[in-house]
Amino acid sequence: MLTHLFLNRLLWAVAGLLALAAAVTGVWRPEIYEWVVARELIPGAYSQDLLSAAAGLALLYLSYAARPHRTKYQIVAVGLLGYLFYAYGIYVIERTYNGLYLLYMAVFALSFWAMVTAGATMDRGNPSVSLSRALRITSASGAMLQPLIFYPLWIGMLLPLMRSGEQIDSLYSIFILDLCFIMPGFLILSFLTFRNHRTGLLLLPALYVLGFTLIFSLAVGELVKPLFRAAPSLAALLPALGLSGLFLVLGVLHLARLRPSGPPLEGPTVPQPVDPQRASAQSPPAAGQTTQSRPPQ
């Protein structure tokens, strides 16, 4: 899937290492958010750091284990980069000015440029892949569901703010990241998957990886609220579990059923040694030479 794999793996490793450092610090010392995040949002920051630490570890592993023939590893890595871009984009846009802010900016920038590098180094011809028609339509429909839900929801929340001119103090980053980056990504890759386009078939599972990790962190945020003397909300927990479960099922099915079509998923064909006698027997006769040129016995 990706050429220049060493460069891509290097970027994954650095992004994963920086994210792991930032996330572990946040889990170890959640009080770093006390003066820069609303108190009711600290459990969400804690759960996001838990998922970011897991994503960082996974990226470190993938940077070691990915090989040219392991296309699915590369797809998962791109999805985890998307998650880090979103998660640390929240911290950067929301001006989380604690001692780790420059580290947040580094992860945000590095994950973005690592995704750009992955897109720029995608092999345009290999691998060719296919997905069964039923699963292709199911996967594309699941991806289309997200813009159909969140575009009206977020725009409906923005219109009153636009009429009043009110500037909210927190979570405005969600509108920016979702409406400008994530929902257009779902729309484009859903359309390409419907059309059986190779790019959609390869990259839509990466968006499912992003969606699962992001939404599952919201579910974890409800579960860890007792650590911060707050009560979990079942009304918030169940939709987050349901949506993250949908992302997980669609992503796993899509990746598991993705099959080579034409050139194999294992990468470019390795030239095989040629038998000189067979080559000479199969080579066309030289000019002026006929097939009867062999001397009689």
Side-chain angles (χ1 to χ4, degrees), residues 45-58:
Y46 184 82
S47 66
Q48 183 170 292
D49 281 340
L50 287 173
L51 268 293
S52 297
L57 284 172

Side-chain angles (χ1 to χ4, degrees), residues 8-76:
N8 281 281
R9 291 166 60 194
L10 179 62
L11 293 173
W12 304 346
V14 177
L17 188 62
L18 294 180
L20 185 61
V24 168
T25 303
V27 171
W28 178 43
R29 297 187 58 194
E31 61 269 18
I32 64 174
Y33 297 114
E34 285 184 356
W35 306 108
V36 292
V37 173
R39 180 172 295 274
E40 65 272 14
L41 298 179
I42 291 180
Y46 184 82
S47 66
Q48 183 170 292
D49 281 340
L50 287 173
L51 268 293
S52 297
L57 284 172
L59 269 177
L60 286 172
Y61 170 74
L62 291 170
S63 69
Y64 167 76
R67 298 293 183 269
H69 63 282
R70 291 176 172 172
T71 301
K72 294 175 184 180
Y73 282 37
Q74 300 170 38
I75 293 171
V76 173

Side-chain angles (χ1 to χ4, degrees), residues 184-217:
F186 272 111
L187 280 175
I188 293 168
L189 293 179
S190 174
F191 174 76
L192 292 176
T193 301
F194 266 124
R195 297 296 301 272
N196 203 26
H197 194 283
R198 172 181 173 274
T199 301
L201 296 177
L202 284 172
L203 292 185
L204 186 55
L207 266 186
Y208 285 138
V209 171
L210 183 160
F212 167 72
T213 49
L214 188 66
I215 303 301
F216 188 65
S217 73

Side-chain angles (χ1 to χ4, degrees), residues 38-48 50 217-237:
R39 180 172 295 274
E40 65 272 14
L41 298 179
I42 291 180
Y46 184 82
S47 66
Q48 183 170 292
L50 287 173
S217 73
L218 299 179
V220 175
E222 293 299 320
L223 296 175
V224 301
K225 276 185 175 180
L227 298 177
F228 300 90
R229 300 179 181 179
S233 168
L234 199 61
L237 175 64

